[in-house]
């Protein structure tokens, strides 16, 4: 597996072996009651300056979301309850609520200590800058 591709333990799959490992981890999390049937949609990308993860959480409040980095793994957890009453009879219910847990293996080139997160327009964006030594640089050629 490439070091710059995160191993996401729910919906992003890179190949057959990763899929099997991710499935086993998902099953283990469910066995301990820490995983649910839904996971927010995500985008993960990098550019020359950093590594970014964006998660769709419309209607969620930042206080309902927890971010933690341990041993190169970013854990994003959230929990919210809906405003339901016994008089409501749903005909369609696609807006997720309850709990979720997503795990992402971070690449080694990021500076975990300088991570930042914003929540705007229903999108949670987590940014990890690249370490200076990991950024591309030009090497000057000396001639005679």
């Amino acid at each position: 597996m490439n070091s710059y591709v995160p191993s996401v333990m729910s919906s992003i799959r890179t190949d057959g072996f990763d899929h099997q490992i991710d499935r086993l981890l998902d099953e283990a999390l469910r066995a301990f009651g820490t995983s649910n049937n839904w996971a927010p949609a995500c985008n993960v990308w990098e550019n020359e300056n950093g590594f970014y993860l964006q998660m769709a959480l419309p209607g969620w409040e930042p206080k309902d979301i927890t971010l933690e980095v341990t041993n190169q793994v970013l854990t994003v957890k959230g929990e919210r309850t809906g405003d339901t009453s016994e008089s409501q009879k749903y005909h369609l219910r696609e807006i997720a609520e309850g709990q979720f847990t997503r795990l992402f293996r971070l690449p080694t080139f990021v500076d975990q200590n300088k991570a930042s997160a914003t929540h705007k327009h229903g999108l949670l964006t987590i940014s990890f800058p690249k370490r200076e030594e990991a950024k591309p640089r030009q090497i000057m050629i000396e001639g005679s």
Side-chain angles (χ1 to χ4, degrees), residues 38 58-60 80 82 90 92-98:
W38 81 279
W60 284 68
R80 99 175 155 175
Y90 282 94
L92 178 64
R93 190 166 188 180
E94 295 181 341
I95 299 173
E97 54 190 44

Side-chain angles (χ1 to χ4, degrees), residues 6-137:
S7 174
V8 179
M9 293 158 200
S10 49
S11 63
I12 300 172
R13 308 293 190 221
T14 56
D15 63 23
F17 180 73
D18 284 347
H19 175 73
Q20 291 173 5
I21 296 297
D22 292 348
R23 186 179 43 98
L24 289 172
L25 289 169
D26 279 342
E27 289 171 6
L29 287 172
R30 278 191 206 94
F32 288 104
T34 60
S35 183
N36 286 2
N37 292 332
W38 81 279
C42 292
N43 291 326
V44 179
W45 73 95
E46 74 171 280
N47 62 23
E48 60 277 352
N49 296 316
F51 181 82
Y52 308 90
L53 183 137
Q54 194 171 60
M55 188 173 289
L57 294 169
W60 284 68
E61 297 293 328
K63 68 178 179 54
D64 298 329
I65 305 163
T66 303
L67 307 175
E68 183 178 298
V69 177
T70 306
N71 298 327
Q72 291 294 120
V73 175
L74 169 66
T75 302
V76 183
K77 294 181 184 179
E79 181 174 7
R80 99 175 155 175
T81 56
D83 297 329
T84 58
S85 71
E86 292 181 18
S87 65
Q88 290 176 323
K89 180 181 175 186
Y90 282 94
H91 295 275
L92 178 64
R93 190 166 188 180
E94 295 181 341
I95 299 173
E97 54 190 44
Q99 297 179 358
F100 74 88
T101 300
R102 298 285 308 258
L103 304 174
F104 302 88
R105 189 177 67 216
L106 297 172
T108 57
F109 58 75
V110 301
D111 189 342
Q112 299 175 49
N113 296 322
K114 295 183 180 176
S116 63
T118 60
H119 187 266
K120 189 175 182 182
H121 303 298
L123 293 173
L124 171 66
T125 304
I126 307 161
S127 304
F128 293 90
K130 286 186 178 180
R131 294 187 330 262
E132 285 302 315
E133 63 270 15
K135 291 182 181 178
R137 59 187 169 273

